[in-house]
Amino acid sequence: MRVLIGGGSGFVGRELTRLLKNKGHDVTIISRQPGPGRITWADVKSGGLPPCEGAVNLAGENIMNPLRWWNDDYKKDLFSSRVDTTRTLAQAIAASPSPPRSWVLVTGVACYKPSLQNQYTEESEWTPFDLLSRLVKEWEEAGRLPQSATQSTRQVVIRPGAVLGRDGGAMKQMLTPFWLGLGGPLGSGRQPFPWIHVSDLAGIILHALEPTTPSTTSTHPEVFNGVAPALNTNYEFTKELGRLLWRPTLFPVPGFLMDALLGSERAVILTQGQKVIPKRTLESGFQFQYPDLTSALREIVKR
């Protein structure tokens, strides 16, 4: 299978590329800079979609980039880097004389309103309620194919939680303070912490690219929650990481400090959370390598 990956040079993209190549698939990455095995977004706009059986979009400015201050320019980049690239790929797929069998868009669980009680599955209805949920709404709408294109291309949206892995994502920034014994719960620590190991997220994407059962044509994409089946809080995550590192976790980070450092609209990713269930993901037959925090964190810290 030939797979085209937008944003394939990032944290999740590197893991997905490794998995696909290990399975014998060919990978072409869309990035801002050309190179071996790569094309640019300008190439897609001008030349259309290259021949492929699967297309994935992972492109997007890192929302937790510690070097970017939370301001209007940064927010604009967050939207444009996701919505514009997604629209470019969706339009190229719709215009292709030989479109891919599967089109997979990876967004996020920010569409679900934070709650200590509510549980969300892929069937849960939602409406935008803040900046990040509006981002998910525009992002997913940009990826929607016209009805004529859905006859030959399966549409899938995957909504991951916090992606855990040693080589990127949240863990890359967390490990140093935890190793130094400076880790602690964020805010109250009671907030749900939906998460997934990067290897499992790559596995769900591959699972979506290779459907195990025939899908019916629909103008609405199939949605899979890309989260582990375990329901954990930030406090539980913090304590388990500290235990595996043999380090104390005595320094909670107050919510007001997170708001000041990150901006309140961005800090909610860490200080609030949602109980997200991968109901349809499990029903599809996907088997998690790391279904619980202990197995996931042990793989990350014991390398």
Side-chain angles (χ1 to χ4, degrees), residues 99-112:
R101 294 192 304 261
S102 298
W103 158 225
V104 180
L105 175 62
V106 181
T107 60
V109 296
C111 58
Y112 305 124

Side-chain angles (χ1 to χ4, degrees), residues 12 56-59 104-108 139 156-160 201 205:
V12 177
V56 181
N57 196 25
L58 298 166
V104 180
L105 175 62
V106 181
T107 60
W139 198 356
V156 178
V157 167
I158 299 173
R159 297 174 182 154
L201 179 54
I205 297 170

Side-chain angles (χ1 to χ4, degrees), residues 68-79 265:
R68 294 290 302 270
W69 187 248
W70 190 253
N71 55 30
D72 288 342
D73 285 343
Y74 186 28
K75 295 175 194 177
K76 183 178 178 181
D77 287 346
L78 291 176
F79 274 73
E265 290 175 310

Side-chain angles (χ1 to χ4, degrees), residues 61-71 74 77 172-173 261-262 266:
E61 169 76 25
N62 178 8
I63 198 167
M64 300 305 293
N65 186 344
L67 303 178
R68 294 290 302 270
W69 187 248
W70 190 253
N71 55 30
Y74 186 28
D77 287 346
K172 191 172 184 179
Q173 299 175 32
L261 292 174
L262 298 174
R266 177 166 54 165

